[in-house]
Amino acid sequence: MAAEGDKFVYDPERNYDDATLAQIRVMENEIASQNNIVSERLSMQNLKDEYADADDVFKLKIKDLESRYHYMRRTRGDGNCFYRAFGFACLEMFLADSKNLPRFKDVAQKSRDELVSLGFPQFTIEDFHESFMDVIEKIEKQCSVTELSDIFNNQGLSDYIVVYLRLLVSGYLQKEAEFFVNFIEGERTVKEFCNQEVEPMGKESDHIHIIALTSTLGIPVRVEYMDRVDSSKCTQHNFPEDSQPSIVLLYRPGHYDILYSR
Amino acid sequence: MSTPARRRLMRDFKRLQEDPPAGVSGAPTDNNIMLWNAVIFGPHDTPFEDGTFKLTIEFTEEYPNKPPTVRFVSKMFHPNVYADGSICLDILQNRWSPTYDVSAILTSIQSLLHDPNPNSPANNEAAQLYRENRREYEKKVAAIVQESWNDDDDEED
C-alpha cells in the first residue's frame, strides 16, 4: 500500500511540463527501439501474421490486399508516418522511373521562394530546403534503394525530410486558405490550424494534409483503407480523385504504411 | 560526422552574429555546441527595463525537430516563469515548430516579458499581482532587475 505521502498533490508552482515531456520521450524511445523508421520490403504474409487472431472483417480485407499487392513497407508509428511513407514511396518511384523527376525537382526547387513569400522565415526554410534538394540530387544520380532506405532510417535526415513536407503542406493550405478554411474544425484560421496540426512534428495527418501534399507536389497517391467497415474489400481513395496514382499507401486507423502493386 | 542538429546550431550561431536581434544575445558554451548561454535585456517600457537576464539553452540531437530546454539562470519574477527558471511558453512546448531558430526563441521570450499571460500562470504570486496590484508587481520586478546586475558583478570579480 502506498504511504500517505506518496499521494499525488498538485502543486501549482511546480513545472509539470518537463515531467510530461520526459514521459512522452520515454514512450517515443520505446517505439523507436522496436521498429525501423522505414522497414525493408516485406511480403504480405507479414501483415497476415499480424492479424492471425483477427476476425473475418480483417481477414477478408487482407485477402483482398494480397490479391492486388505484392509487398509492403512498414513505417514507424510516430505521428509522422504519412509524410515518411509518402516521401519514401515517391522517391523510390523516381528511382524506378525518372521520367517525371525533372518536373518534381523543379517544383521542389521553386517551393523555397514560395514558402518565404508566404512569410516563413527564410533562414530556417533554407536549411530544410537544402537537405531536401540534397536527397533529390541523390535520386537523380540513381542512388540505390538501400541508400534511400539509409537516409530515411537516419533520424536526423529523415526528420528533415518530414519537416520540409510538413512545410509544403502548410504553405499550400495557407495559399489556398479561402477554400480550406471550410474544412477546418473549430474556430481556427488556416494559419492557426497549420501552426497546431501541420508544422509540429508528430502531428498526425488527415485528408486535408494528403490533398495538400499531393496537390502541391503534383504526385497523386492511392490510399487503401483497412478499417472495421463491414465489407470484404478495402475502400480505395485516389488523391486527386480522377488520377492514376503509382504510389499506394495502406491506411489503418491512425497509421500509414506503403504498398507495392503486383 | 556533423549531425543535422550540430550543423543547424552552427548556422543559428552564425546568423545570430551576423544579424543580431535587438536586446538579446547568445552563444554556445566553450566546449559544447549543444549548450548555450544567452542574455535577454529587459525590454523598454516594461518593468524589466535595464535588467540583464541570463538563460541557458540546452539542445538535443533532435533539434530543430524538438525544442530545446530554456531556463532563466538569473532570478525572475514573471507570471509565466517557474521558480526553477523554466518557462511556460507554448512555442517551447506543444506549439514548437522546426522553423524556429535560437534568434526566434530569444525574441519570443523577450516579448513574453513584454506581454505576460496571467491566464496560464507558472508563478501564482506574480500572476495575481500582475492582475490585481500592478504597483506591487512592478516593485517585485524592480528588485529582480537589480539582482540581475549583481549576477554580472559576481562574474567580473
Side-chain angles (χ1 to χ4, degrees), chain A residues 15 18 25 28 124 159 163, chain B residues 8 62 65 71 86 99:
Chain A
N15 180 359
D18 284 354
R25 205 159 275 258
E28 283 171 353
T124 44
D159 285 352
V163 169
Chain B
R8 169 63 187 273
E62 286 168 281
N65 301 313
R71 268 176 223 279
S86 55
T99 62

Side-chain angles (χ1 to χ4, degrees), chain A:
Chain A
M1 207 179 90
E4 188 68 19
D6 290 340
K7 256 191 198 160
F8 178 78
V9 181
Y10 177 70
D11 173 2
E13 305 262 312
R14 217 190 116 193
N15 180 359
Y16 290 98
D17 300 337
D18 284 354
T20 310
L21 290 175
Q23 201 166 0
I24 291 173
R25 205 159 275 258
V26 169
M27 292 194 286
E28 283 171 353
N29 288 341
E30 212 171 294
I31 295 170
S33 64
Q34 286 161 5
N35 305 301
N36 274 342
I37 300 177
V38 177
S39 81
E40 298 288 297
R41 273 193 190 206
L42 305 164
S43 78
M44 296 305 281
Q45 183 64 38
N46 189 283
L47 187 65
K48 232 176 175 172
D49 292 346
E50 189 184 335
Y51 287 88
D53 301 323
D55 54 33
D56 286 347
V57 179
F58 285 122
K59 286 201 166 136
L60 285 169
K61 285 185 179 176
I62 290 174
K63 213 169 171 187
D64 167 46
L65 287 177
E66 235 186 338
S67 71
R68 292 181 289 125
Y69 299 96
H70 222 143
Y71 304 103
M72 71 179 294
R73 226 182 253 276
R74 291 178 184 270
T75 63
R76 187 182 289 168
D78 59 3
N80 301 309
C81 54
F82 165 69
Y83 299 95
R84 211 94 69 177
F86 177 91
F88 189 94
C90 171
L91 295 171
E92 192 184 23
M93 172 186 78
F94 285 133
L95 279 181
D97 176 5
S98 60
K99 188 172 79 236
N100 289 320
L101 183 57
R103 189 200 57 80
F104 177 78
K105 190 184 176 190
D106 191 49
V107 170
Q109 186 60 48
K110 285 178 180 147
S111 63
R112 177 192 59 197
D113 293 346
E114 274 177 39
L115 290 173
V116 171
S117 73
L118 281 165
F120 285 96
Q122 178 164 9
F123 166 74
T124 44
I125 291 293
E126 262 171 22
D127 186 34
F128 296 110
H129 182 256
E130 254 173 46
S131 302
F132 192 65
M133 295 312 292
D134 282 351
V135 179
I136 294 179
E137 270 156 34
K138 288 209 172 84
I139 301 295
E140 240 180 351
K141 288 180 188 142
Q142 288 287 312
C143 70
S144 65
V145 174
T146 313
E147 266 173 88
L148 182 62
S149 172
D150 288 345
I151 291 171
F152 270 78
N153 280 302
N154 173 313
Q155 190 81 51
L157 298 174
S158 197
D159 285 352
Y160 258 58
I161 297 170
V162 171
V163 169
Y164 200 69
L165 295 177
R166 286 182 177 277
L167 292 171
L168 289 176
V169 168
S170 175
Y172 188 79
L173 292 176
Q174 290 186 55
K175 208 169 67 184
E176 306 289 334
E178 221 170 285
F179 173 71
F180 283 110
V181 74
N182 303 306
F183 300 94
I184 287 171
E185 287 171 32
E187 298 280 300
R188 289 188 280 186
T189 64
V190 170
K191 190 165 174 43
E192 281 166 346
F193 176 82
C194 289
N195 290 156
Q196 293 162 15
E197 308 292 341
V198 181
E199 289 164 33
M201 288 295 278
K203 288 284 180 183
E204 288 181 11
S205 300
D206 217 331
H207 271 200
I208 189 169
H209 305 76
I210 305 180
I211 292 167
L213 191 57
T214 51
S215 306
T216 195
L217 289 175
I219 305 287
V221 64
R222 169 175 297 168
V223 180
E224 297 275 358
Y225 292 87
M226 191 174 124
D227 49 26
R228 291 218 66 91
V229 173
D230 197 12
S231 154
S232 60
K233 286 185 159 54
C234 290
T235 316
Q236 284 179 8
H237 199 135
N238 292 348
F239 298 85
E241 263 172 53
D242 52 2
S243 63
Q244 279 301 319
S246 40
I247 296 176
V248 186
L249 303 183
L250 167 64
Y251 177 81
R252 290 174 286 165
H255 190 68
Y256 291 89
D257 293 303
I258 307 169
L259 287 172
Y260 295 89
S261 295
R262 280 187 178 274

Side-chain angles (χ1 to χ4, degrees), chain B:
Chain B
M1 196 189 92
S2 169
T3 62
R6 285 161 197 273
R7 195 190 56 178
R8 169 63 187 273
L9 283 167
M10 288 304 293
R11 294 175 70 146
D12 278 23
F13 182 44
K14 196 161 163 244
R15 179 172 179 233
L16 209 52
Q17 285 177 311
E18 285 170 0
D19 183 17
V24 305
S25 71
T29 51
D30 277 347
N31 294 314
N32 187 0
I33 184 104
M34 307 302 277
L35 180 66
W36 288 41
N37 288 321
V39 176
I40 294 179
F41 299 95
H44 294 301
D45 303 321
T46 75
F48 297 94
E49 185 164 356
D50 296 331
T52 52
F53 303 104
K54 294 200 185 118
L55 306 95
T56 56
I57 316 176
E58 216 181 320
F59 301 90
T60 66
E61 287 291 347
E62 286 168 281
Y63 179 78
N65 301 313
K66 293 277 169 67
T69 308
V70 189
R71 268 176 223 279
F72 277 99
V73 180
S74 303
K75 195 168 179 207
M76 196 25 97
F77 186 79
H78 184 283
N80 307 110
V81 180
Y82 289 95
D84 67 355
S86 55
I87 303 161
C88 181
L89 179 61
D90 56 0
I91 69 143
L92 292 176
Q93 279 117 23
N94 54 352
R95 297 273 171 86
W96 170 256
S97 158
T99 62
Y100 299 139
D101 65 345
V102 176
S103 178
I105 294 168
L106 291 175
T107 48
S108 296
I109 297 172
Q110 190 185 32
S111 60
L112 187 68
L113 296 186
H114 215 283
D115 295 307
N117 175 8
N119 296 324
S120 68
N123 177 335
N124 276 332
E125 189 197 358
Q128 197 182 354
L129 289 179
Y130 179 77
R131 272 194 310 254
E132 293 163 13
N133 188 347
R134 199 60 70 90
R135 179 175 292 218
E136 188 59 27
Y137 171 77
E138 286 173 6
K139 236 166 95 183
K140 292 250 184 189
V141 173
I144 57 110
V145 166
Q146 287 229 334
E147 255 185 74
S148 76
W149 304 330
N150 294 339
D151 286 359
D152 292 350
D153 293 345
D154 289 349
E155 231 163 63
E156 281 158 24
D157 284 346

